[in-house]
Amino acid sequence: METLQEAIKHYSNLKKEGKISISEIRAELKVEGKFSDAEISKICRTISDKELESMQPADNNPLAFLNSIWLSYILLAVFLYLTYQSYIGIEDLNAKKELGPVDPKITAWRYAMLVGSLFFVVRNAIRILKHISKKGK
């Protein structure tokens, strides 16, 4: 082992096999005396970095589809439909008020549905517009 790359390769293989630890690598390199303290630190740091990179989890997230722009298109359509139905429900309640009293809880619920669905329509529309503008650049 005359070069840093040879030392990194050799000790990386030993570390992968579990035959040696970073502190043992550092001690062994100091005893050999072929490398300076800065080079020994670089060897140990490189081995540690490679080991950390191999431990990174793979992108096997089953919920990754939630970040898809296509989901925003679907949700936009769903919430537009819900907004429409909420508006029709409010109009229906207003017509029923002319015939007699309507429970205020039902009216409040219909308005809450309308406001909530409008919020999600705007949210998904903004996301789609950002995606389109980013795609156009």
Side-chain angles (χ1 to χ4, degrees):
M1 293 181 299
E2 297 297 323
T3 67
L4 287 175
Q5 297 304 323
E6 290 175 353
I8 289 171
K9 184 176 179 181
H10 173 72
Y11 286 110
S12 290
N13 291 335
L14 290 176
K15 180 83 169 88
K16 284 180 188 174
E17 295 170 4
K19 294 180 180 178
I20 196 167
S21 69
I22 291 291
S23 58
E24 291 171 335
I25 292 170
R26 186 177 302 275
E28 192 172 310
L29 287 170
K30 282 186 181 184
V31 169
E32 287 180 13
K34 293 181 181 178
F35 300 106
S36 68
D37 286 342
E39 291 172 329
I40 291 171
S41 291
K42 183 176 181 177
I43 292 169
C44 293
R45 191 173 47 250
T46 304
I47 292 170
S48 294
D49 290 347
K50 285 182 180 181
E51 189 175 30
L52 274 175
E53 286 176 10
S54 68
M55 293 173 62
Q56 294 296 324
D59 289 338
N60 294 336
N61 186 357
L63 300 178
F65 73 93
L66 293 175
N67 291 329
S68 171
I69 192 66
W70 298 109
L71 183 63
S72 290
Y73 282 108
I74 293 168
L75 289 175
L76 179 65
V78 168
F79 285 113
L80 279 171
Y81 178 74
L82 186 58
T83 301
Y84 171 75
Q85 289 298 323
S86 299
Y87 177 76
I88 296 299
I90 290 171
E91 289 295 316
D92 183 46
L93 286 177
N94 288 336
K96 287 181 181 179
K97 282 182 184 178
E98 294 177 6
L99 299 175
V102 176
D103 187 12
K105 291 179 185 177
I106 295 174
T107 306
W109 175 248
R110 294 282 169 95
Y111 278 105
M113 282 180 40
L114 181 64
V115 169
S117 61
L118 281 173
F119 169 77
F120 283 106
V121 164
V122 170
R123 180 176 175 260
N124 285 297
I126 289 172
R127 184 162 186 245
I128 290 169
L129 290 174
K130 283 183 181 179
H131 176 74
I132 291 170
S133 68
K134 189 185 295 184
K135 190 177 176 183
K137 287 185 179 181

